Amino acid sequence: MKPADTAMANAFVPGKVRLDPASQRLVEERARLLGPAYRLMYEEPLHFVRGEGVWLIDAAGRRYLDAYNNVASLGHCHPAVVEAIRRQVGMLATNTRYMHEAILTLAERLLATMPGELGHVMLTCTGSEANDLAWRIARGFTGATGIVVTETAYHGITDAVAQFSPSLGASVDLGRHVATVPAPGDPGAEGPGGFAEAVERAVAGLRRHGIRPAMLIVDTMFTSDGVRPGPDGFLAPAAEAIRRAGGIFVADEVQPGFARTGDHFWGFQRHGVVPDIVTMGKPMGNGHPVAGIAVRPQVVAEFGRTSRYFNTFGGNAVSCAAALAVLDAIEAQGLQENAARMGERLTARLRALSSRHPLLAAVRGAGLMIGVDIRSGGAPDKAAAARIVNGMREAGVLISSCGMHHNVLKVRPPLVIDAAGIDLFADALAHVLSTMEGDAR
Ligand code: PMP
């Protein structure tokens, strides 16, 4: 059977590289027990047994710098988060049909990080569920059914959300109610009116099919589109455009949220725009499943009137304890400031490398969310990006790639990384690039 285009960058291809017997056994057991839909990363997949701060430790005891994992954003196994989960799970783990203080404290703390217009918080277990809920609320509020997303967006795995996640690949159908726009700042794809004009065109396209738009949803750092941080502010006119058309603006903060961009706590704040719904997840529990949304009260009113919301695990006391410990640690350890400072250091080192290695055509990002555009003769070079990603893995540093052409290195170290970690990263990349150039000569 010919494999379909499932478009995962840096996926392990069975049979391509000879694996050691222990890895080969695990690969085969996964196929036998988990079936055909799972993917592993890297030419030679990794088997970790422990995490500690910025490090992942494999079965042979080798340490890898984890510069890819934006879930364990405070570092793996952060002691305060581990302790908060341990304490709460040993005391009470119930759901939101009983009263509990922790969910209220969490909602209050989250709302305090956002503009005052966002007045309610609802909790889920995953980012996909958060986006699914946002979509239901958007439909209830607008009475419309259309969606505008970027052309390589990823928003999650539920049936509804997969239909507006084009990065899942050509073999996963987009809904007929979904219109895509080029990633912002994409030279050659974006018209003179920029991102907002692209949104207007997409809305007009939906209208031609008799579909009114319910929402524009974007990852506010456009991570799977290849990391598109700027120019600052370009989202505000796009949000206005969708609102003029009767839809709402949903900021998917699953990637940039919780201080990763350094300059702000949330990615949308870089654009001076107030979303109608903010969705969040991944780093929110530093590895414990907790996610959710913040929403303007008037936007969720109709959904609340017509639907009741219950999520067995979402918002339970344990996940609230984990999320509160994450908020505390970001503050106590000054991690937003660290993300800004270390992000500058990493960006400067990457730019220095790009002046010596033309493959690194552009370095984009904010804080510790960085994309490095790999090109040869101006064209996206997917093969070179894959060689770099796998070379870095050999050198003991984990990254991956993203973007429509899989040619953008996706670099997201934990917010706790220090100068030595940044230097280790940059030195490893310098080594990989020199080796590749040596091989090419
Ligand atoms: N939105 C974005 C922007 C994401 O990157 C992801 C996960 N990669 C999701 C939503 C879905 O989150 P989850 O995997 O927790 O369902």
Side-chain angles (χ1 to χ4, degrees), residues 362-386:
V363 178
R364 299 186 287 264
L368 289 171
M369 167 71 82
I370 298 173
V372 184
D373 211 312
I374 305 299
R375 286 172 187 263
S376 297
D381 193 337
K382 175 181 171 178

Side-chain angles (χ1 to χ4, degrees), residues 99-438:
M99 291 189 278
H100 195 266
E101 290 283 352
I103 191 170
L104 302 176
T105 314
L106 177 60
E108 196 97 76
R109 292 277 302 277
L110 285 171
L111 291 172
T113 65
M114 292 186 190
E117 289 88 338
L118 293 149
H120 297 315
V121 165
M122 296 169 77
L123 295 175
T124 63
C125 305
T126 67
S128 301
E129 271 185 278
N131 285 331
D132 194 280
L133 179 60
W135 166 227
R136 291 177 68 198
I137 292 170
R139 267 183 309 172
F141 178 65
T142 61
T145 56
I147 306 180
V148 181
V149 291
T150 51
E151 64 193 352
T152 315
Y154 181 76
H155 296 293
I157 56 164
T158 71
D159 183 32
V161 178
Q163 289 187 43
F164 58 89
S165 292
S167 73
L168 283 172
S171 54
V172 177
D173 286 341
L174 289 182
R176 288 178 182 280
H177 57 293
V178 177
T180 62
V181 289
D186 196 356
E190 193 168 72
F195 191 62
E197 191 185 276
V199 170
E200 278 170 354
R201 269 203 308 275
V203 166
L206 286 170
R207 284 236 164 87
R208 291 289 305 271
H209 297 283
I211 297 170
R212 287 184 298 117
M215 68 178 188
L216 164 69
I217 179 168
V218 300
D219 165 346
T220 57
M221 278 292 281
F222 299 87
T223 316
S224 55
D225 282 289
V227 185
R228 310 288 180 156
D232 278 10
F234 71 78
L235 271 179
E240 284 320 306
I242 197 75
R243 286 176 182 141
R244 270 198 307 278
I248 66 168
F249 172 57
V250 180
D252 180 337
E253 292 286 342
V254 169
Q255 292 277 349
F258 294 90
R260 175 157 292 278
T261 61
D263 48 0
H264 296 284
F265 199 84
W266 303 104
F268 68 79
Q269 291 169 320
R270 319 183 62 243
H271 292 275
V273 62
V274 181
D276 299 295
I277 302 180
V278 177
T279 65
M280 62 192 92
K282 280 187 187 273
M284 187 171 178
N286 206 52
H288 188 82
V290 51
I293 70 166
V295 57
R296 295 184 191 231
Q298 68 273 27
V299 170
V300 72
E302 177 62 10
F303 180 82
R305 196 179 68 76
T306 54
S307 315
R308 63 191 159 78
Y309 179 68
F310 176 62
N311 187 318
T312 302
F313 298 116
N316 77 74
V318 180
S319 53
C320 290
L324 280 167
V326 166
L327 290 175
D328 285 343
I330 292 173
E331 242 176 72
Q333 294 178 240
L335 293 183
Q336 187 174 321
E337 298 72 30
N338 196 59
R341 261 185 303 121
M342 291 302 128
E344 257 174 46
R345 186 182 183 99
L346 182 52
T347 304
R349 293 241 19 210
L350 290 169
R351 295 223 160 105
L353 281 176
S354 85
S355 67
R356 292 203 302 277
H357 301 278
L359 262 182
L360 309 195
V363 178
R364 299 186 287 264
L368 289 171
M369 167 71 82
I370 298 173
V372 184
D373 211 312
I374 305 299
R375 286 172 187 263
S376 297
D381 193 337
K382 175 181 171 178
R387 282 207 301 283
I388 294 172
V389 167
N390 285 290
M392 290 292 274
R393 176 232 178 278
E394 289 303 311
V397 178
L398 306 181
I399 56 170
S400 191
S401 59
C402 59
M404 173 176 268
H405 306 290
H406 303 305
N407 69 310
V408 180
L409 306 180
K410 183 159 61 162
V411 181
R412 297 172 306 194
L415 307 188
V416 289
I417 197 166
D418 60 9
I422 298 294
D423 292 347
L424 189 154
F425 182 98
D427 293 346
L429 184 56
H431 167 76
V432 169
L433 291 166
S434 309
T435 309
M436 281 169 59
E437 284 162 7

